[in-house]
């Protein structure tokens, strides 16, 4: 699949579709589309993934499309490092631009029928500064609506699960309040959370215990209980924020009933941070099928609070995706998504915790292999790669190889810290094998630059020609003029000399560039063979 690199041509791309001829619940990963989208982010830059899940027809796509408007306005310019747009003259991101075309947003449709199916990602990664000031590539993900009359509970759990696994910031979109059912759906991850937090590498590689998921935000829509109505003022927003914090604390507080208490403990096991943000109803215009995305038609209180929320999600609390304590780049995230999608290939049953853990460990090992081998090749390319012209002594090349190999294996050890030791050691053995194969290539490349290599092709004919010329001169000086033997010998030696000189002239005419390179090699060879001299000190 071709994905344009032009941000203005960005669009929503489906990376997971549902259903096949044999299995109505099958998860189908569009690996080509996923790779094309993730390849648009700088390969060495960390990525953040913001996803939204929730019931169908609850406004997820509408919310994410407003996210896109916000992100276009505040995206960082790659060249200058500054934000592309600024609030000037009272303008905000939602007071400019008017309606959204179908190419500017995640597709939505008013009404009561399900619209989004599968999992979609916006094809353009937005460049933003995270909470610590670091540049991040930010992806926005939309998911199929849950809990409709066409989707089974097991398939709903799988969609929710895959979305949560790939996200750094999971937004759970709920209507009016956080119900007990909403909390229980999160408990699906409890076994995975408990097992993952206890599982690291064996022995000295034991990983620091961390919760498997980062941020979970309950975004409560159509909230009706705010006492103040002007979130644009600091005092009113502070009161609203206090109300939000009080509400989420009351929801996740311990309960006396065993099942309710266990549900909350299970959520705490899985997520590092659980928050809530409350939004009022956006207004009746938004619910109509003809709504075109124009924020002027949205309730002002809703937009002002949404502005606050966007600032929270994309600035003060923005951080990269992290798995097993390691922040991920786009290529690493791609490896994990492929591994997770494979175990969700059938949505009939939610994968067992051990299956999820095995997929995580396999993706971690694959990333460790790729990154460590790439590090080795990058370092060796600088010394003896295809674009290098300088020849290095074998001892120097071997010394650099050993140091670079050891550094790469150390890097592997720092990444491959999840799962049992046997797969990790197998992956490490494959790294060693790849490194040694690559070293043979570098040795061959370096040998081809040896200034002394290939000189026999030219030196031997020259020696024969010079020897023939000297012998002919000796014959001419030592023999009498009437000796036919001497004359024949002189003629033969002269012809040998002429033939060789003619051969060298032909070679020089057809391989002038190569001859020039050989002269440079002669110079290099003399430098190689010359004994080192110490610099003279100024007296």
């Amino acid at each position: 699949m071709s994905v344009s690199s032009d941000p203005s041509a960005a669009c929503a791309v489906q990376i997971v579709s549902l259903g096949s001829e044999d299995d109505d619940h099958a998860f189908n990963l569009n690996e080509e589309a996923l790779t094309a989208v993730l390849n648009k982010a700088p390969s060495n830059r960390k990525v953040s993934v913001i996803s939204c899940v929730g019931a169908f027809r609850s406004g997820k796509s509408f919310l994410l499309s407003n996210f896109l408007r916000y992100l276009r306005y505040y995206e960082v310019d790659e060249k200058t490092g500054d934000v592309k747009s600024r609030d000037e003259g009272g303008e905000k991101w939602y007071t400019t631009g008017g309606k959204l075309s179908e190419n500017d947003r995640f597709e939505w449709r008013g009404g009561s029928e399900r619209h989004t199916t599968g999992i979609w990602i916006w094809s353009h990664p937005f460049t933003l500064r995270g909470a610590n000031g670091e540049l991040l590539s930010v992806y926005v993900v939309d998911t199929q609506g849950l809990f409709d009359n066409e989707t089974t509970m097991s398939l709903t759990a799988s969609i929710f699960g895959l979305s949560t696994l790939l996200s750094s910031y999971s937004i759970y979109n709920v209507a009016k309040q956080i119900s007990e059912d909403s909390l229980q759906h999160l408990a699906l991850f409890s076994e995975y959370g408990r097992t993952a937090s206890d599982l690291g590498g064996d022995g000295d590689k034991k990983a620091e215990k961390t919760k498997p998921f980062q941020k979970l935000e309950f975004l409560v829509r159509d909230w009706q209980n705010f006492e103040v109505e002007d979130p644009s003022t600091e005092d009113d927003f502070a009161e609203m924020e206090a109300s939000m914090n009080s509400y989420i604390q009351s929801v996740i507080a311990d309960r006396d009933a065993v099942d309710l208490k266990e549900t909350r403990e299970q959520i705490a096991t899985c997520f590092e941070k659980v928050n809530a943000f409350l939004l009022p109803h956006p207004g009746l215009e938004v619910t109509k099928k003809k709504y075109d995305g124009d924020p002027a038609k949205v309730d002002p209180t809703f937009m002002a609070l949404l502005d606050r929320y966007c600032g929270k999600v994309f600035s003060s609390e923005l951080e990269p995706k992290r798995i097993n304590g390691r922040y991920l780049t786009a290529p690493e995230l791609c490896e994990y998504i492929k591994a997770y999608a494979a175990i969700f290939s059938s949505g009939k049953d939610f994968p067992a915790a051990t299956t999820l853990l095995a997929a995580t460990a396999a993706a971690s090992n694959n990333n460790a292999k790729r990154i460590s081998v790439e590090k080795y090749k990058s370092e060796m390319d600088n010394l003896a790669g295809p674009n290098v012209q300088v020849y290095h002594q074998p001892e120097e090349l071997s010394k650099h190889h050993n140091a670079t190999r050891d550094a790469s294996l150390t890097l592997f050890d720092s990444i491959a810290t999840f799962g049992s030791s046997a797969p990790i050691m197998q992956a490490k053995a494959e790294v060693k094998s790849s490194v040694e194969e690559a070293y043979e290539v570098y040795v061959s490349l370096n040998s081809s630059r040896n200034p002394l290599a290939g000189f026999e092709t030219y030196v031997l004919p020259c020696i024969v020609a010079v020897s023939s010329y000297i012998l002919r001169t000796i014959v001419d000086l030592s023999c009498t003029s009437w000796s036919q033997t001497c004359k024949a010998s002189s003629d033969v030696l002269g012809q040998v000399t002429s033939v060789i000189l003619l051969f060298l002239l032909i070679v020089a005419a057809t391989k002038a560039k190569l001859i020039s390179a050989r002269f440079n090699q002669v110079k290099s060879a003399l430098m190689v063979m010359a004994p080192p001299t110490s610099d003279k000190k100024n007296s």
Side-chain angles (χ1 to χ4, degrees):
M1 176 180 181
S2 176
V3 177
S4 174
S5 60
D6 182 4
S8 64
C11 61
V13 175
Q14 189 174 34
I15 57 173
V16 174
S17 59
L18 302 180
S20 65
E21 293 182 1
D22 301 325
D23 185 356
D24 292 338
H25 304 89
F27 273 48
N28 307 300
L29 176 66
N30 188 338
E31 189 172 328
E32 182 182 357
L34 173 68
T35 303
V37 171
L38 293 181
N39 280 347
K40 295 175 69 175
S43 61
N44 59 347
R45 180 178 295 168
K46 298 169 188 173
V47 294
S48 181
V49 182
I50 314 299
S51 71
C52 186
V53 298
F56 81 112
R57 312 308 308 150
S58 61
K60 299 186 307 302
S61 299
F62 165 73
L63 171 74
L64 294 177
S65 294
N66 277 289
F67 279 0
L68 296 179
R69 188 192 291 271
Y70 178 93
L71 290 167
R72 291 190 194 98
Y73 197 82
Y74 291 112
E75 184 174 16
V76 172
D77 190 304
E78 290 278 1
K79 295 181 180 178
T80 65
D82 297 326
V83 175
K84 292 181 178 179
S85 305
R86 298 186 182 279
D87 300 331
E88 296 179 356
E91 285 191 346
K92 301 283 285 185
W93 60 273
Y94 56 87
T95 60
T96 61
K99 68 180 183 179
L100 290 170
S101 70
E102 292 186 0
N103 295 328
D104 294 332
R105 59 179 171 85
F106 285 97
E107 191 173 356
W108 77 72
R109 182 186 301 148
S112 59
E113 297 180 357
R114 182 180 69 184
H115 188 59
T116 302
T117 59
I119 298 178
W120 297 70
I121 188 170
W122 195 251
S123 64
H124 173 65
F126 294 92
T127 303
L128 297 179
R129 292 197 181 279
N132 64 355
E134 179 183 21
L135 283 180
L136 303 175
S137 292
V138 180
Y139 286 98
V140 179
V141 173
D142 191 12
T143 61
Q144 174 175 325
L146 310 179
F147 317 123
D148 60 12
N149 55 10
E150 298 179 33
T151 308
T152 64
M153 286 305 298
S154 60
L155 184 58
T156 291
S158 295
I159 294 170
F160 195 109
L162 183 56
S163 173
T164 304
L165 285 164
L166 64 88
S167 303
S168 55
Y169 201 125
S170 297
I171 300 171
Y172 192 180
N173 195 64
V174 299
K176 293 185 171 56
Q177 64 177 348
I178 303 173
S179 65
E180 196 62 32
D181 286 344
S182 300
L183 296 178
Q184 289 174 357
H185 292 136
L186 295 171
L188 291 166
F189 298 101
S190 59
E191 185 182 355
Y192 176 80
R194 285 194 299 268
T195 310
S197 64
D198 290 331
L199 183 65
D202 295 337
D204 294 336
K205 292 163 65 69
K206 181 70 178 177
E208 182 180 349
K209 290 185 178 182
T210 59
K211 297 179 181 180
F213 307 120
Q214 292 163 265
K215 289 188 176 72
L216 171 68
E217 187 105 62
F218 287 98
L219 184 62
V220 182
R221 308 290 291 274
D222 306 342
W223 182 256
Q224 302 173 358
N225 302 319
F226 284 129
E227 298 295 332
V228 293
E229 297 183 355
D230 189 5
S232 62
T233 66
E234 294 301 324
D235 289 343
D236 279 9
F237 178 68
E239 186 174 335
M240 289 180 169
E241 197 171 34
S243 176
M244 297 177 194
N245 293 335
S246 175
Y247 177 67
I248 187 62
Q249 291 304 318
S250 68
V251 169
I252 63 176
D254 284 343
R255 298 291 194 272
D256 292 332
V258 175
D259 57 338
L260 301 184
K261 182 177 182 180
E262 287 181 349
T263 297
R264 284 153 179 79
E265 290 176 349
Q266 290 163 353
I267 294 172
T269 300
C270 294
F271 294 91
E272 295 178 358
K273 194 172 184 180
V274 179
N275 286 330
F277 200 92
L278 315 177
L279 286 174
H281 195 282
L284 294 179
E285 285 294 323
V286 175
T287 64
K288 297 179 180 179
K289 289 185 177 182
K290 64 180 181 180
Y291 177 64
D292 56 10
D294 188 350
K297 299 176 182 178
V298 181
D299 178 79
T301 301
F302 177 92
M303 290 308 301
L305 266 175
L306 183 59
D307 178 44
R308 295 277 192 174
Y309 185 55
C310 288
K312 174 186 178 183
V313 174
F314 297 112
S315 180
S316 62
E317 294 193 10
L318 183 65
E319 66 176 16
K321 171 64 178 174
R322 185 176 67 249
I323 294 180
N324 191 35
R326 178 176 174 81
Y327 291 112
L328 305 184
T329 60
E332 293 174 80
L333 176 64
C334 187
E335 189 69 36
Y336 279 105
I337 293 176
K338 289 189 289 186
Y340 292 141
I343 62 174
F344 279 96
S345 57
S346 176
K348 291 182 179 179
D349 300 301
F350 192 83
T354 52
T355 306
L356 286 171
L357 292 167
T360 301
S364 175
N365 291 341
N366 287 338
N367 279 326
K369 285 193 297 183
R370 179 185 56 79
I371 293 170
S372 55
V373 172
E374 284 180 355
K375 175 180 175 60
Y376 172 82
K377 290 182 177 180
S378 176
E379 293 292 330
M380 292 297 291
D381 278 346
N382 293 333
L383 183 77
N387 297 324
V388 175
Q389 302 297 326
V390 179
Y391 170 75
H392 297 279
Q393 293 287 358
E395 296 79 8
E396 179 186 357
L397 184 65
S398 177
K399 182 179 179 180
H400 188 74
H401 155 71
N402 291 333
T404 305
R405 177 200 58 205
D406 293 346
S408 298
L409 292 175
T410 300
L411 177 61
F412 175 89
D413 291 337
S414 71
I415 299 173
T417 59
F418 192 80
S420 59
S421 60
I424 292 176
M425 296 308 296
Q426 174 63 30
K428 190 171 185 178
E430 292 173 8
V431 171
K432 292 178 180 178
S433 176
S434 296
V435 164
E436 293 304 322
E437 290 176 5
Y439 178 57
E440 293 179 4
V441 174
Y442 290 115
V443 169
S444 178
L445 288 171
N446 187 60
S447 298
S448 68
R449 303 184 192 106
N450 188 342
L452 299 178
F455 269 100
E456 63 276 5
T457 304
Y458 304 94
V459 173
L460 184 59
C462 289
I463 292 174
V464 173
V466 171
S467 299
S468 299
Y469 178 78
I470 293 173
L471 288 174
R472 182 186 180 187
T473 302
I474 293 173
V475 168
D476 290 344
L477 293 175
S478 61
C479 293
T480 59
S481 59
W482 49 265
S483 174
Q484 293 299 317
T485 300
C486 289
K487 185 176 185 304
S489 299
S490 178
D491 291 342
V492 170
L493 293 171
Q495 290 171 359
V496 170
T497 303
S498 299
V499 169
I500 292 176
L501 290 176
L502 180 60
F503 165 75
L504 293 175
L505 286 173
I506 293 173
V507 170
T510 58
K511 299 185 178 182
K513 185 178 292 188
L514 182 59
I515 294 297
S516 175
R518 290 303 183 188
F519 275 117
N520 291 331
Q521 284 187 328
V522 170
K523 181 179 178 181
S524 299
L526 293 175
M527 295 177 64
V528 169
M529 294 184 294
T533 57
S534 58
D535 295 335
K536 293 182 179 180
K537 295 182 179 180
N538 295 329
S539 58

